[in-house]
Amino acid sequence: MVDHTVKAFDSEIGQLRGLVAEMGGLAEVAIRDAILALTNHDEELAKQVVARDARLDALEAEVDRLAVRTIALRAPMADDLRDVIAALKVSGVIERIGDYAKNIAKRVNALDGRSKVEPIALVPAMAEIAEGMVRDVLNAYGSRDAALAVEVIRRDQKLDHFYNTLFRSLLTHMMESPSTITVATQLLFIARNLERIGDHATNVAEMVYYAATGEYCTERDTRTNDTGGLE
Amino acid sequence: MVDHTVKAFDSEIGQLRGLVAEMGGLAEVAIRDAILALTNHDEELAKQVVARDARLDALEAEVDRLAVRTIALRAPMADDLRDVIAALKVSGVIERIGDYAKNIAKRVNALDGRSKVEPIALVPAMAEIAEGMVRDVLNAYGSRDAALAVEVIRRDQKLDHFYNTLFRSLLTHMMESPSTITVATQLLFIARNLERIGDHATNVAEMVYYAATGEYCTERDTRTNDTGGLE
């Protein structure tokens, strides 16, 4: 590439990475606010989380457009092309993470705020792990930090254990007091959404690891839980 | 592009489309076999569905590699580039559809085969709609058929209604006989997985529509259900 093309490419890849970082920030806030809305039974905040998801969709579309234009105009090779494709893929995953947060927020309405079940107390701690994974994997993406990516992949085990505990606890509650079934079912889905957020953060971490090292990360194969939340 | 480059590109885009079609076929079979394993409580078949999912992952990786190589070597422009990016995106969605089928198969083990709940009878019909959507959207993708894509998008409403009915029915069962809670919970997740398969097929249908017409499909906006499966 001639010099001014290189500069244009650098500016475009910088823009792509910026858009992905912005998406990551929005996804983090979405998870946090969805859980806040849940614990405070704040239907207004829940509505905001749902409405704000459109911004994530729009940003993903912007990443797509810019990535395609960059490839078409600059015809980047090797590492540079991988960089563009990575932005395309990572933005797709973050958009999905936003969908899970939106799904959690949508369930706030179905929980009437009075009939609480005890295991709900575990949800914020579980959400914090998921949110931390999203934050750190975006940092790892920004700085191509393979070690941090591996750390995120490992943390997914912790999240899976949390999910399994919560799942069992909710089932026990439902059996002991059938009046909690409606609420507990919503919490089951919420917990499952958080577990899926962790899975997607792990997917991104694996992409970051691959981009940084050129090798596939084998860390995930050693995970004890891959039952799809079956327990 | 010079003539031999055009031919090489045509052969590569043909290969990409072939890989995506193969993935679609595998995803369809995965859904069908997962439901068969569920209704016949066939743990062996369930295991096969789980094991076969690795092939979908491998095919997606192959599509990624070939797409990146095609872009790098042929520097396709405009429509051709959109074609390559579409293959990249569609293969990602099919891989996720395969994951949902795998998740259904994994739950077969947790259902002990004896304690059945009545609403399970609705699952095969629901699965058939989901599977049909996957099949037809892949046909629409193969033939760039915008009308068929719209038809798939419309069918998603039917699937959502099915899901809502099943959801309510399972909740009623759990409340009336708490001994069914464990089984019914698994079925809730299975129904949710089928509903998500429909959502993903709809995503692909929207991409197909866009690729065929250059316009965004507004059909989905008219859907009555977008509650994330709350009811």
Side-chain angles (χ1 to χ4, degrees):
Chain A
M1 285 195 257
V2 290
D3 200 47
H4 71 271
T5 312
V6 174
K7 270 189 199 135
F9 178 78
D10 284 349
S11 136
E12 277 156 8
I13 190 76
Q15 218 181 319
L16 277 172
R17 289 176 158 268
L19 288 169
V20 172
E22 187 181 347
M23 289 182 73
L26 289 174
E28 267 176 63
V29 172
I31 300 169
R32 188 160 52 233
D33 284 352
I35 299 300
L36 258 181
L38 174 75
T39 48
N40 299 338
H41 195 74
D42 184 339
E43 293 190 21
E44 195 39 56
L45 183 58
K47 260 186 221 152
Q48 280 177 35
V49 173
V50 174
R52 274 191 243 134
D53 189 59
R55 177 80 187 126
L56 268 182
D57 295 344
L59 281 171
E60 192 203 2
E62 210 176 318
V63 169
D64 282 6
R65 267 194 303 273
L66 183 57
V68 170
R69 215 190 50 187
T70 303
I71 295 171
L73 292 181
R74 316 292 167 212
M77 306 290 273
D79 278 1
D80 288 342
L81 178 57
R82 258 203 299 279
D83 234 5
V84 177
I85 300 284
L88 210 60
K89 297 218 132 197
V90 172
S91 75
V93 179
I94 300 176
E95 190 272 327
R96 257 137 66 204
I97 289 176
D99 277 349
Y100 286 112
K102 182 175 74 172
N103 282 338
I104 292 173
K106 279 182 176 174
R107 291 183 189 280
V108 169
N109 216 357
L111 296 162
D112 70 3
R114 280 161 297 143
S115 56
K116 282 201 177 161
V117 292
E118 198 196 286
I120 200 177
L122 291 173
V123 172
M126 191 181 169
E128 210 169 299
I129 301 176
E131 195 195 318
M133 286 174 74
V134 174
R135 185 175 49 244
D136 286 347
V137 83
L138 264 296
N139 286 338
Y141 168 77
S143 54
R144 291 172 169 262
D145 184 338
L148 184 55
V150 170
E151 215 262 289
V152 170
I153 295 169
R154 286 201 184 124
R155 238 184 289 161
D156 196 38
Q157 276 194 20
K158 207 171 142 191
L159 193 65
D160 283 348
H161 287 311
F162 225 118
Y163 173 67
N164 293 340
T165 307
L166 196 52
F167 187 97
R168 283 199 206 94
S169 159
L170 284 167
L171 238 59
T172 308
H173 257 77
M174 286 155 95
M175 289 183 214
E176 285 171 359
S177 41
S179 67
T180 65
I181 285 177
T182 310
V183 179
T185 302
Q186 296 300 335
L187 286 181
L188 271 183
F189 279 112
I190 289 170
R192 177 75 175 152
N193 281 332
L194 290 172
E195 190 262 341
R196 294 297 292 156
I197 288 174
D199 280 351
H200 284 306
T202 303
N203 287 345
V204 176
E206 286 170 344
M207 292 179 209
V208 170
Y209 185 90
Y210 178 74
T213 65
E215 282 169 22
Y216 288 103
C217 182
T218 56
E219 192 58 40
R220 199 180 211 173
D221 299 340
T222 66
R223 295 198 306 171
T224 51
N225 179 321
D226 188 29
T227 61
L230 280 190
E231 42 296 330
Chain B
M1 288 196 254
V2 290
D3 200 46
H4 72 272
T5 311
V6 174
K7 270 189 199 136
F9 177 79
D10 284 348
S11 136
E12 277 156 7
I13 191 73
Q15 218 180 321
L16 277 171
R17 289 176 158 268
L19 287 169
V20 171
E22 186 181 349
M23 289 183 73
L26 289 173
E28 267 176 64
V29 172
I31 300 169
R32 188 162 50 233
D33 283 352
I35 299 301
L36 257 183
L38 175 74
T39 46
N40 299 337
H41 196 73
D42 185 340
E43 294 191 21
E44 195 39 56
L45 183 58
K47 261 187 219 150
Q48 279 176 35
V49 173
V50 174
R52 275 190 244 138
D53 188 60
R55 177 81 187 125
L56 268 182
D57 295 345
L59 281 171
E60 192 203 3
E62 210 176 318
V63 169
D64 282 5
R65 266 194 304 272
L66 183 58
V68 170
R69 215 191 51 185
T70 303
I71 295 171
L73 292 181
R74 317 290 167 213
M77 306 290 274
D79 278 1
D80 288 342
L81 179 56
R82 258 203 299 280
D83 233 5
V84 177
I85 300 284
L88 210 59
K89 297 219 133 197
V90 172
S91 75
V93 179
I94 301 174
E95 189 273 326
R96 258 137 66 204
I97 289 176
D99 277 350
Y100 287 112
K102 181 175 76 174
N103 282 338
I104 292 173
K106 279 182 175 175
R107 293 185 188 280
V108 169
N109 215 357
L111 295 162
D112 70 3
R114 280 161 297 144
S115 55
K116 282 202 177 159
V117 292
E118 196 197 287
I120 200 175
L122 292 174
V123 172
M126 190 182 170
E128 211 169 300
I129 301 175
E131 195 196 319
M133 287 174 75
V134 173
R135 184 176 49 244
D136 287 347
V137 84
L138 263 295
N139 286 339
Y141 167 77
S143 54
R144 291 170 170 263
D145 184 339
L148 184 55
V150 170
E151 214 262 287
V152 169
I153 295 169
R154 286 202 186 124
R155 238 183 289 161
D156 197 37
Q157 275 194 22
K158 205 170 144 191
L159 193 65
D160 284 348
H161 288 311
F162 225 118
Y163 173 68
N164 294 340
T165 307
L166 195 52
F167 188 96
R168 283 199 205 94
S169 158
L170 284 168
L171 237 58
T172 308
H173 257 78
M174 286 156 98
M175 288 185 217
E176 282 168 2
S177 42
S179 66
T180 63
I181 285 177
T182 310
V183 178
T185 302
Q186 296 300 336
L187 285 181
L188 272 183
F189 280 112
I190 287 169
R192 177 75 174 148
N193 281 332
L194 290 172
E195 190 262 339
R196 294 298 290 156
I197 288 174
D199 280 350
H200 285 304
T202 303
N203 287 345
V204 176
E206 286 170 345
M207 290 180 211
V208 169
Y209 185 90
Y210 178 75
T213 66
E215 281 170 23
Y216 287 104
C217 181
T218 56
E219 191 57 41
R220 198 180 213 172
D221 300 339
T222 65
R223 294 199 305 170
T224 51
N225 179 321
D226 188 28
T227 61
L230 279 191
E231 25 302 324

